[in-house]
Amino acid sequence: MRLILYITTLLCACSCYAQEYAFPPNFQFGVATAAYQVEGGWNSSGKGENIWDRLTHTRSELITDGSNGDIACDTYNKAIEDVQLLKSLGVDFYRFSFSWSRILPTGTANKINPDGIRYYNEMIDELLANGIKPFATMYHWDLPQPLQELGGWPNSVIADLFADYANVLYENFGDRIKDWITFNEVGVFCGGGYESASMAPAYNGAGFGVYLCGHTVLRAHGKAYRLYESKYKASQGGRVGITIDSGWYEPASESPVDIEAAETAIQMGFGWFAHPIFSTDGDYPPVMKQRIAQKSAEEGFSRSRLPEFTSEEIAEIRGSSDFFGLNHYTTNRCTIIPDGWGTPPSQWTDAGALCSQDADWEPSASSWLKVVPWGFRKLLVWIKNEYNNPEVVVTENGFSDRGELRDCRRINYYNSYLEQLLKAIHEDGCNVSGYTAWSFMDNFEWMRGFTERFGLYYVDFNDPNRPRTPKMSYYVYKNILATKRVDWKYSPDSFDECEF
Ligand code: NOJ
């Protein structure tokens, strides 16, 4: 009896302690948005057309509510007032993206739009004047349409044009921006854009275009990183990274076959971009090269559908990131694909993995997003082990609903995921230095239009002034930032308590 009591006390002491973990003193918190999702001003003062302008204007039937980002949150006109909202939230940094077409209307660096430079200058200056660090993404999915006319990312020339664009950004803003992300979620925009037609430019190039896209983007990233290193780093003293997205891939069972399927899925979904940059050998993951070469041969292709890097490119890309930007939302369970499943060539028949979500995992407003906090910790540990514990900045994490102000389910998501993050830091020794909530405010959720809301601020898209109203989760996140702790009992006065 005494022994049982002793064990119970010990267990309680451990779990109580676990809840008491705090974020390290220098841990940085932020919120994120992306240009096309919030800015609006789609053709204001010299901005050029991009692939999302084109898609939403010509194929609105593909967008759930037929909407577009022409006005979105009207951040183009409200960026300065929004800084006060960021300040009151207490963030260390604000992650936003540059609109390539606002800076370079035709996509090429021979013609710079002065209003684009003005707009971002004013926002950056206002952020800094209010003690908020600008954390800038160069490319969050909005390729200038003239470059799409050349074939878009599958055209390898775009890598050089991206480096030219990066040069314009470093030159104009690098005196004040010290944290750069070249690309956001390459796997998603290459997959959606050139594999499954579920993102602009909605091209269906399954098993082929998707790898050409990824290849150009990796080369573009390497060029932009090396450009900063050789021309700007000494004088500007900033850092350049990339944001790669990944769910956690859990084996569907303990069987070696499922374990292998889940590992192949993560290597070919996440390692596709992480291995060339963060592994000691560089290049694509060996399993990815081997599987795509084999499948391509079986399908009658004369060479692998996965392009090859030259040894110079491998060297340029390897180590080309000063931190590991990670976007994470959810988890899948993977097994091997049954015979005859899918239509090759495709990314998934190449990987040979069939991944799905448990029916009893808590849903969100997005079909792909289920609440699985433990997957976050497993992914962080996998990164630590696979890539020698790099410095990770979580550049996105968040939950969608229909826009409720008393958003208890979002609070549950943030609290649970942040608890797992704390365990990864304190119990697993993962080197995570920052966290970014997606999103600062409700915005244009790509093909889902305004039907899925991720914001800490509610935005009324029916009101021409686009008023922003803080949701309950805004206050909870603010409290986490102020106390550096997750506190399930915290409840802002203005709302009825949530039941967890
Ligand atoms: C990741 C993307 O970077 C962002 O643009 C999107 O809105 C969120 N995921 C939610 O789907």
Side-chain angles (χ1 to χ4, degrees):
M1 186 62 182
R2 191 173 276 186
L3 185 68
I4 293 174
L5 255 178
Y6 175 73
I7 292 173
T8 321
T9 322
L10 202 71
L11 280 177
C12 173
C14 290
S15 67
C16 296
Y17 178 66
Q19 288 166 12
E20 286 307 305
Y21 286 143
F23 288 94
N26 51 358
F27 193 89
Q28 303 275 293
F29 283 101
V31 289
T33 61
Y36 187 76
Q37 295 181 272
V38 298
E39 278 181 9
W42 81 276
N43 60 357
S44 298
S45 307
K47 177 181 164 292
E49 184 189 22
N50 66 40
I51 56 175
W52 277 93
D53 296 320
R54 176 63 65 94
L55 183 89
T56 54
H57 292 158
T58 58
R59 303 184 64 190
S60 61
E61 73 283 0
L62 295 178
I63 314 295
T64 304
D65 54 3
S67 64
N68 56 51
D70 287 4
I71 302 174
C73 305
D74 200 21
T75 303
Y76 177 68
N77 291 305
K78 295 171 93 72
I80 301 299
E81 39 186 295
D82 281 348
V83 171
Q84 290 313 310
L85 307 184
L86 290 163
K87 193 178 179 185
S88 74
L89 180 56
V91 291
D92 299 298
F93 63 87
Y94 175 44
R95 179 178 172 227
F96 65 95
S97 80
F98 285 102
S99 160
W100 188 338
S101 313
R102 197 178 296 291
I103 303 272
L104 305 177
T106 56
T108 48
N110 57 321
K111 193 171 157 233
I112 299 177
N113 175 23
D115 183 65
I117 304 291
R118 173 207 60 81
Y119 170 67
Y120 292 109
N121 266 339
E122 286 177 11
M123 181 170 79
I124 292 163
D125 288 346
E126 188 70 9
L127 286 167
L128 289 169
N130 285 278
I132 300 164
K133 275 185 282 186
F135 203 132
T137 308
M138 300 177 188
Y139 186 81
H140 201 124
W141 306 359
D142 44 359
L143 190 72
Q145 183 62 28
L147 304 189
Q148 188 57 46
E149 311 293 331
L150 302 176
W153 288 109
N155 180 348
S156 60
V157 164
I158 310 291
D160 290 313
L161 302 182
F162 178 79
D164 293 346
Y165 164 55
N167 188 47
V168 171
L169 297 182
Y170 296 144
E171 205 165 77
N172 283 277
F173 309 111
D175 56 335
R176 286 153 296 152
I177 293 183
K178 304 300 165 194
D179 297 280
W180 295 97
I181 292 168
T182 53
F183 289 95
N184 177 70
E185 297 199 351
V186 189
V188 171
F189 75 79
C190 284
Y194 299 97
E195 165 96 10
S196 59
S198 55
M199 290 273 163
Y203 179 75
N204 194 331
F208 195 46
V210 65
Y211 299 131
L212 298 178
C213 172
H215 201 70
T216 309
V217 171
L218 279 163
R219 290 179 50 251
H221 165 80
K223 284 172 189 290
Y225 180 87
R226 299 299 167 199
L227 173 68
Y228 190 79
E229 195 178 40
S230 60
K231 192 169 164 194
Y232 295 98
K233 198 173 174 83
S235 57
Q236 298 187 348
R239 55 186 192 153
V240 179
I242 186 168
T243 281
I244 310 177
D245 62 286
S246 190
W248 169 245
Y249 298 83
E250 179 76 1
S253 78
E254 301 279 284
S255 91
V257 178
D258 286 351
I259 293 173
E260 193 185 326
E263 179 65 18
T264 307
I266 197 167
Q267 288 291 357
M268 291 181 66
F270 186 42
W272 177 14
F273 301 104
H275 196 278
I277 298 172
F278 294 97
S279 72
T280 33
D281 294 342
D283 202 355
Y284 293 118
V287 67
M288 181 166 187
K289 291 200 291 185
Q290 181 268 319
R291 286 193 69 100
I292 300 175
Q294 187 188 327
K295 294 275 171 194
S296 303
E298 285 166 14
E299 290 154 6
F301 286 88
S302 47
R303 66 187 70 81
S304 175
R305 288 177 277 100
L306 182 68
E308 279 179 27
F309 289 118
T310 63
S311 48
E312 290 76 25
E313 287 169 342
I314 291 175
E316 180 164 79
I317 296 166
R318 187 178 52 220
S320 63
S321 202
D322 299 326
F323 59 91
F324 196 125
L326 174 72
N327 284 4
H328 172 79
Y329 288 86
T330 195
T331 284
N332 276 273
R333 288 193 198 278
C334 304
T335 182
I336 52 165
I337 55 173
D339 284 345
W341 184 92
T343 316
S346 83
Q347 262 188 299
W348 292 107
T349 48
D350 284 342
L354 185 61
C355 301
S356 59
Q357 299 186 306
D358 287 10
D360 60 351
W361 286 346
E362 192 193 332
S364 68
S366 310
S367 57
W368 53 271
L369 203 180
K370 303 270 190 296
V371 184
V372 194
W374 51 262
F376 189 21
R377 180 177 178 186
K378 287 196 175 192
L379 177 65
L380 290 167
V381 172
W382 190 88
I383 293 171
K384 175 191 165 194
N385 295 336
E386 189 75 10
Y387 304 118
N388 195 24
N389 208 10
E391 179 187 344
V392 172
V393 179
V394 178
T395 42
E396 275 182 43
N397 178 240
F399 178 85
S400 63
D401 58 18
R402 300 291 175 201
E404 299 84 296
L405 287 182
R406 184 172 170 272
D407 52 346
C408 295
R409 295 171 62 220
R410 177 168 294 104
I411 294 168
N412 173 60
Y413 182 97
Y414 279 127
N415 282 348
S416 331
Y417 273 68
L418 284 169
E419 262 185 1
Q420 294 295 320
L421 176 55
L422 282 168
K423 286 185 182 169
I425 294 173
H426 291 279
E427 295 180 21
D428 307 321
C430 295
N431 183 12
V432 186
S433 65
Y435 176 89
T436 319
W438 182 272
S439 178
F440 176 24
M441 62 182 73
D442 293 341
N443 56 53
F444 181 80
E445 178 57 13
W446 310 111
M447 295 305 220
R448 302 281 85 82
F450 298 108
T451 63
E452 296 174 13
R453 308 289 191 108
F454 281 84
L456 296 173
Y457 272 93
Y458 171 82
V459 178
D460 183 354
F461 294 101
N462 296 316
D463 185 323
N465 290 323
R466 300 296 192 269
R468 290 93 158 100
T469 310
K471 300 180 188 174
M472 191 173 178
S473 58
Y474 158 89
Y475 296 100
V476 171
Y477 193 54
K478 181 176 172 149
N479 185 59
I480 293 171
L481 271 49
T483 61
K484 304 262 188 269
R485 283 173 197 279
V486 171
D487 178 1
W488 287 91
K489 295 200 194 73
Y490 175 77
S491 183
D493 294 341
S494 38
F495 290 90
D496 290 340
E497 270 180 41
C498 298
E499 280 174 28
F500 297 117

